[in-house]
């Protein structure tokens, strides 16, 4: 564990063919779109914070950055030398290939990618992340319980990993245009429940993509050692052990 949407990043070999059946529109209360460039070395310290975690039984990773909630950076390139994984993040493009308009908020965002073959997720991993003018090493603890092998096919099961003492990235699989939306959150000790919005009338694209959802508990509410997150609603049911 480390210290301190487009969330969906393409991962080779895990997507089914997509059929677009509906577009996305801004919801009520959306902020005015603005340009949201990658952070620079001179920008606010909080905006430069980069965290990470391992997911999908050790097959994937998430990089957490700060910026516009509607313009999640995309994983552009990933390579590895031993346990050192080089990750380049880029700003998302709009539908026409031009710079995407973004809301003017400041929020944590999770960008997910696949660990390269040869990396051992049961041993410590260092993500060497470049995002705009910022370069930072993110040290991730290996987990002996990981049974997945980087480069192997996912089992499309939900997974979750801490990126600080009380915040985690939840990875689920489904339509890229209908990411999970948290309706309520409860947690204490070593257990918590995330209830998601269920909208039976929602029309979604018919693809299968990774969706990263950030979930944060109060600092004094939970014990992150052996924590179990129960998922309810939104087509997500079951328990997830948080690594």
């Amino acid at each position: 564990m480390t210290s301190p949407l487009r969330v969906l990043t393409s991962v080779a070999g895990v997507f089914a063919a997509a059929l677009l059946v509906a577009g996305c529109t801004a919801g009520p209360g959306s902020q005015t779109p603005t340009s949201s460039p990658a952070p620079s070395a001179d920008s606010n310290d909080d905006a430069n914070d980069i965290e990470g975690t391992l997911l999908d039984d050790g097959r994937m990773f998430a990089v957490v950055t700060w910026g516009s909630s509607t313009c999640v950076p995309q994983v552009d390139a990933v390579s590895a030398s031993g346990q050192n994984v080089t990750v380049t993040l880029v700003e998302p493009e709009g539908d026409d290939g031009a710079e995407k308009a973004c809301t003017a908020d400041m929020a944590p965002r999770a960008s997910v990618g696949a660990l390269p073959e040869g990396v051992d997720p049961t041993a410590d991993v260092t993500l060497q992340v470049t995002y705009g003018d910022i370069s930072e090493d993110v040290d991730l603890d290996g987990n002996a319980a990981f049974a997945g092998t980087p480069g192997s096919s996912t089992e499309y099961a939900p997974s979750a990993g801490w990126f600080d003492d009380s915040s985690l990235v939840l990875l689920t699989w489904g339509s890229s245009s209908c990411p999970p939306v948290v309706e309520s959150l409860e947690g204490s000790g070593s257990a918590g429940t995330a209830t998601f919005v269920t909208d039976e009338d929602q029309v979604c694209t018919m693809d299968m993509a990774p969706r990263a959802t950030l979930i944060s508990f109060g600092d004094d509410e939970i014990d992150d050692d052996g924590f179990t997150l129960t998922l309810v609603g939104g087509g997500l049911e079951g328990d997830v052990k948080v690594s």
Side-chain angles (χ1 to χ4, degrees):
M1 182 183 71
T2 64
S3 59
L5 231 211
R6 213 141 144 187
V7 162
L8 314 170
T9 305
S10 297
V11 181
V14 299
F15 293 98
L19 174 63
L20 183 63
V21 295
C24 296
T25 58
S30 296
Q31 295 177 316
T32 302
T34 65
S35 174
S36 179
S40 69
D42 298 325
S43 58
N44 183 278
D45 287 343
D46 289 340
N48 295 343
D49 285 344
I50 299 178
E51 307 296 341
T53 190
L54 297 176
L55 299 165
D56 197 29
D57 213 12
R59 299 180 184 88
M60 300 180 69
F61 64 86
V63 175
V64 179
T65 59
W66 284 80
S68 171
S69 60
T70 59
C71 287
V72 180
Q74 296 179 327
V75 176
D76 182 57
V78 183
S79 62
S81 176
Q83 293 296 100
N84 295 317
V85 180
T86 301
V87 180
T88 301
L89 301 180
V90 296
E91 293 298 307
E93 295 182 347
D95 293 337
D96 57 358
E99 182 178 6
K100 184 177 180 180
C102 308
T103 53
D105 57 340
M106 179 65 71
R109 305 87 50 88
S111 308
V112 297
L115 282 178
E117 293 184 21
V119 178
D120 180 5
T122 67
D124 294 349
V125 176
T126 297
L127 301 181
Q128 299 172 324
V129 182
T130 299
Y131 176 36
D133 293 334
I134 303 300
S135 294
E136 185 169 337
D137 288 354
V138 181
D139 295 324
L140 306 180
D141 293 338
N143 188 333
F146 284 146
T149 302
S152 65
S153 298
T154 182
E155 296 179 356
Y156 300 101
S159 60
W162 300 106
F163 66 90
D164 72 13
D165 291 339
S166 59
S167 300
L168 60 87
V169 178
L170 172 67
L171 175 68
T172 59
W173 300 84
S175 171
S176 60
S177 66
C178 295
V181 177
V182 177
E183 183 174 66
S184 63
L185 186 64
E186 299 177 353
S188 64
S190 60
T193 299
T195 301
F196 297 91
V197 174
T198 299
D199 183 358
E200 296 180 353
D201 296 326
Q202 189 175 27
V203 180
C204 306
T205 54
M206 296 176 62
D207 58 341
M208 179 65 72
R211 296 98 52 93
T213 304
L214 292 173
I215 295 177
S216 295
F217 296 91
D219 291 340
D220 299 326
E221 293 179 358
I222 55 98
D223 178 3
D224 59 11
D225 186 14
F227 190 86
T228 298
L229 181 66
T230 299
L231 311 181
V232 178
L236 302 172
E237 303 289 341
D239 295 336
V240 177
K241 293 286 187 181
V242 184
S243 60

